[in-house]
Every structure is written in structure tokens, then in C-alpha cells.
């Protein structure tokens, strides 16, 4: 992956790397995730995520914008259906929909699956 790699390209590369068919690339989305490690076991807690557009440059975006202190940012490959379901359940009570930085597919407090 380089700064000029697009999100769709990275999805295909990840699927290939993990032995999954690139034909199913449309079923997956690359997500820009903000969160932090919490608790004694330092478990990841997602605060928000945004599905990246196919031609967005994830590594360039990460270089240009850093999360506030105490938070981290990472890229996650998620099933598109899962992200759409989370977005449909999301109710923004904090900003009453004023936060446009995360776009319409912003998901607050989405749980990440346990490892394994």
C-alpha cells in the first residue's frame, strides 16, 4: 500500500492476502475508524467510523488528519452489510446530525468483534 493506493484497491489486496476471492470485493468496505484502548485488558473501543469511498486514498488521509489526544485511528475491513446495518441503527443524540465530517455512514460506538 502506498499514499496513492485507493480504498477499493486496498480491499482487493487484503482479500487476496487472506485467501478470499477478489470477486467478493463489493461485499467489503474499508473503514476509517477512530477509537481508543480501554480497561485493564486494553480492549479497542470504537468511537466512530466512516466508510471510505472507492477512490479515497486511506494512507494519505491518515497522514493529513490525526485524531484528538487519547484516541487512535486505524483502517478496518468490514462487511458492507454490517456497516450499513450499524448506520441504520445509529441515532446521533450528541450533535443532532450536525457532524458532517463522518458523512452519512458514520457509526458511533460500533462494537468491534472479539479477536479469534
Amino acid at each position: 500500500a502506498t499514499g496513492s493506493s485507493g480504498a477499493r484497491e486496498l480491499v482487493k489486496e487484503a482479500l487476496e492476502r487472506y485467501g478470499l476471492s477478489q470477486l467478493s470485493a463489493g461485499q467489503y468496505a474499508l473503514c476509517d475508524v477512530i477509537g481508543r484502548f480501554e480497561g485493564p485488558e486494553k480492549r479497542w473501543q470504537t468511537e466512530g467510523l466512516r466508510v471510505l469511498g472507492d477512490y479515497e486514498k486511506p494512507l494519505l488521509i491518515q497522514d493529513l488528519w490525526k485524531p484528538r489526544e487519547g484516541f487512535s485511528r486505524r483502517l478496518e475491513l468490514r462487511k458492507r452489510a454490517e456497516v450499513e446495518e450499524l448506520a441504520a441503527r445509529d441515532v446521533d443524540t450528541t450533535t443532532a446530525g450536525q457532524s458532517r465530517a463522518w458523512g452519512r455512514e458514520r457509526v458511533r460506538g460500533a462494537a468491534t468483534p472479539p479477536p479469534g
Side-chain angles (χ1 to χ4, degrees):
T2 68
S4 63
S5 299
R8 175 178 275 187
E9 179 184 347
L10 294 179
V11 167
K12 288 180 180 179
E13 286 181 23
L15 292 176
E16 180 181 347
R17 175 176 238 176
Y18 294 106
L20 300 170
S21 171
Q22 290 187 17
L23 297 175
S24 62
Q27 296 175 7
Y28 293 90
L30 191 62
C31 299
D32 182 14
V33 182
I34 302 293
R36 60 181 157 190
F37 293 96
E38 296 181 338
E41 58 279 334
K42 298 293 183 192
R43 199 175 167 114
W44 177 262
Q45 178 63 41
T46 297
E47 292 293 323
L49 69 82
R50 182 178 70 87
V51 175
L52 294 170
D54 288 343
Y55 301 101
E56 285 189 75
K57 312 289 188 219
L59 299 181
L60 182 61
I61 291 170
Q62 284 191 321
D63 282 344
L64 295 175
W65 184 82
K66 304 291 182 203
R68 71 178 187 246
E69 189 173 331
F71 289 85
S72 298
R73 177 183 219 167
R74 67 186 192 182
L75 297 172
E76 293 181 0
L77 186 63
R78 292 191 175 209
K79 288 199 170 195
R80 198 170 288 277
E82 170 198 335
V83 176
E84 290 170 357
E85 181 182 324
L86 289 169
R89 290 189 313 209
D90 182 35
V91 177
D92 184 356
T93 57
T94 305
T95 62
Q98 294 176 22
S99 177
R100 299 189 193 280
W102 285 98
R104 66 183 163 85
E105 295 186 10
R106 179 182 131 303
V107 179
R108 188 174 161 81
T112 39

